[in-house]
Amino acid sequence: MKKPIRIGTRGSKLALWQANHVAARLEQAGLPTEIVIITTRGDVVLDRSLDKIGAKGVFTEELEESLRTGHIDIAVHSAKDVQSTIPADLELLAFMERERVNDVIVSFDPDLDLQRPDLVLGTSSTRRKAMLKRFLPHATTAEARGNLQTRLRKLEEGQYHALVLAYAGVHRMEYDGLIRHTLPENQYVPATGQGSVAIESARNLEPSLKAELQRVLDHPDTHLALVAERAFLRTMEGGCSIPSFALATLTPERHVHLHGGLISLDGQQFIDVKQTAPADDAEALGIRIAETVLARGGQQILNDIRQVRNTENVA
C-alpha cells in the first residue's frame, strides 16, 4: 500500500473544494491521499483589510512551514493568493486548468441596477476597489473579508447591495444563480493567477513523486500563462496589497499574449501594456511588460501607495 500523499489546505469550503479536487485527480491516478487542514493568518485576522495585515503570504505562510517540516507533502492554494516570490527551499510544482477568469457581481437582488447612485459593493481586493472607482465612480466600496459564505451572509444582512468576486470561486461553490453581472476581463483585468489552483511542495520532495504529481495535476497551457503573469508580478514586487493586474492567454500560434498593468488607489491613473511573444519567452515577456509599466508612471504609483500605507501604519 502506497503511503498517502498529505494535501495541506485552508479550512474554508472553497479551499476544501480545491483540495478535494486535487485529491480526486490523484486518486484516479492510483495515488492515495490524505487532506490536512491548516489555519492561516488570513483566516484568523478578519477585522482588517489585507493590505493592513501584511498581505505577503497571508494565506500561504503556515502551509509553507508545514511543507518544510514534512507535515504535508503538497500545499493547495488559489494561485492568486501565492506571493510573487517563493522561498528558495520551496517550489510551485503545478498549475491546474484555469476556470473562467472574470470578476462577477453577485447579489440577492435579481434586478440589481449598477447605476443606482447609492450602490454599495463589498470587496476585500485592493485591485477591485481601485477599478470600481475608475469604472463605477458613483459606487461606494465596503470591506468584505471572510470566506465566501461569510461574505454572502453579510450581503444577506444588507451590509452591501452586491459583492464583487472571482467567478471561479462563485462557480465552484455553485452560487452561479446569484451572478447578476459578469465584468469584462479586458476592462476589469484579473489578478495574477485568478481562476487557477496552484500546487506547492518542498524542493527536496522525492523526485519521482514530484514528477508524478506534475504529470497528473499540471495543465501546460495554464502553467505557461502563469509563468508570464507571475514574472510580471515578481518584477512589480507586488502582491495582494497593490492594485496590479495581469492576464496571459495563448494565441492560435501558441504565442503568449500578456495584458498587464497597474491602477492607482483612487482609480485615476491606469497604466496597461499588451504584448505578445513566443512561448519560450513567456517569463521575459512578463518582466518586459512590468518594466514598461513601471517606466510609464507605475513606479510613482507604487511609491504613492507605499507612502499611504506607511502613513496608515503610523496612525
Side-chain angles (χ1 to χ4, degrees):
M1 182 70 179
K2 291 181 179 178
K3 182 181 176 183
I5 296 169
R6 292 160 298 172
I7 302 170
T9 177
R10 297 164 59 205
S12 72
K13 287 185 178 181
L14 180 55
L16 287 171
W17 182 97
Q18 294 176 164
N20 281 303
H21 179 59
V22 170
R25 292 283 297 273
L26 293 173
E27 297 273 357
Q28 287 169 5
L31 299 168
T33 63
E34 174 189 345
I35 291 178
V36 181
I37 296 175
I38 296 169
T39 302
T40 69
R41 184 163 39 115
D43 299 311
V44 175
V45 182
L46 298 175
D47 60 344
R48 281 174 282 165
S49 60
L50 291 175
D51 54 271
K52 291 183 175 61
I53 59 175
K56 186 175 181 179
V58 68
F59 292 118
T60 60
E61 200 169 43
E62 289 79 4
L63 287 157
E64 290 182 333
E65 189 55 36
S66 293
L67 289 171
R68 293 189 177 96
T69 63
H71 182 53
I72 58 175
D73 299 307
I74 59 174
V76 177
H77 310 292
S78 292
K80 66 182 178 62
D81 291 337
V82 180
Q83 63 268 39
S84 56
T85 302
I86 299 298
D89 57 341
L90 305 175
E91 64 179 307
L92 292 172
L93 282 184
F95 294 104
M96 301 187 74
E97 184 171 6
R98 199 171 208 168
E99 184 53 84
R100 284 174 54 190
V101 299
N102 303 73
D103 287 334
V104 294
I105 294 182
V106 167
S107 178
F108 289 104
D109 178 1
D111 302 313
L112 179 72
D113 179 9
L114 291 185
Q115 300 308 314
R116 59 182 294 171
D118 61 342
L119 183 66
V120 178
L121 299 172
T123 177
S124 61
S125 162
T126 305
R127 173 188 61 86
R128 290 178 184 134
K129 290 174 186 174
M131 287 187 168
L132 290 167
K133 286 178 181 177
R134 183 174 185 84
F135 300 120
L136 284 177
H138 63 282
T140 300
T141 59
E143 192 65 31
R145 289 289 317 284
N147 61 44
L148 180 54
Q149 287 72 27
T150 298
R151 297 185 205 193
L152 287 172
R153 175 179 54 76
K154 292 178 180 179
L155 175 63
E156 197 165 22
E157 290 170 351
Q159 295 189 31
Y160 333 100
H161 294 114
L163 294 167
V164 188
L165 302 164
Y167 169 82
V170 175
H171 177 65
R172 288 164 181 164
M173 291 288 95
E174 301 181 357
Y175 291 121
D176 302 64
L178 296 178
I179 296 174
R180 305 305 176 210
H181 300 276
T182 298
L183 301 176
E185 71 271 22
N186 60 344
Q187 183 179 48
Y188 293 83
V189 188
T192 293
Q194 185 160 304
S196 178
V197 174
I199 311 299
E200 188 178 20
S201 77
R203 197 166 285 277
N204 63 5
L205 187 67
E206 203 275 314
S208 63
L209 177 57
K210 283 203 286 189
E212 185 71 355
L213 290 168
Q214 287 174 319
R215 182 187 70 80
V216 175
L217 299 175
D218 194 48
H219 185 255
D221 287 1
T222 301
H223 198 130
L224 183 57
L226 267 289
V227 166
E229 292 177 23
R230 289 185 54 76
F232 169 86
L233 185 67
R234 187 168 61 249
T235 307
M236 295 292 291
E237 296 185 354
C240 300
S241 61
I242 70 165
S244 67
F245 49 86
L247 177 61
T249 52
L250 270 61
T251 70
E253 299 78 26
R254 301 289 300 168
H255 286 193
V256 179
H257 177 76
L258 180 61
H259 182 186
L262 183 68
I263 183 171
S264 60
L265 294 178
D266 62 6
Q268 294 301 304
Q269 300 173 74
F270 186 92
I271 304 168
D272 67 326
V273 177
K274 302 173 186 177
Q275 291 182 18
T276 303
D280 290 347
D281 293 330
E283 185 168 9
L285 174 66
I287 294 169
R288 185 164 62 248
I289 286 185
E291 289 175 342
T292 303
V293 169
L294 292 171
R296 290 183 181 175
Q299 188 61 62
Q300 186 57 54
I301 291 176
L302 288 181
N303 292 343
D304 292 344
I305 290 172
R306 290 178 183 128
Q307 186 173 359
V308 169
R309 301 286 187 242
N310 291 336
T311 302
E312 290 174 345
N313 289 336
V314 169

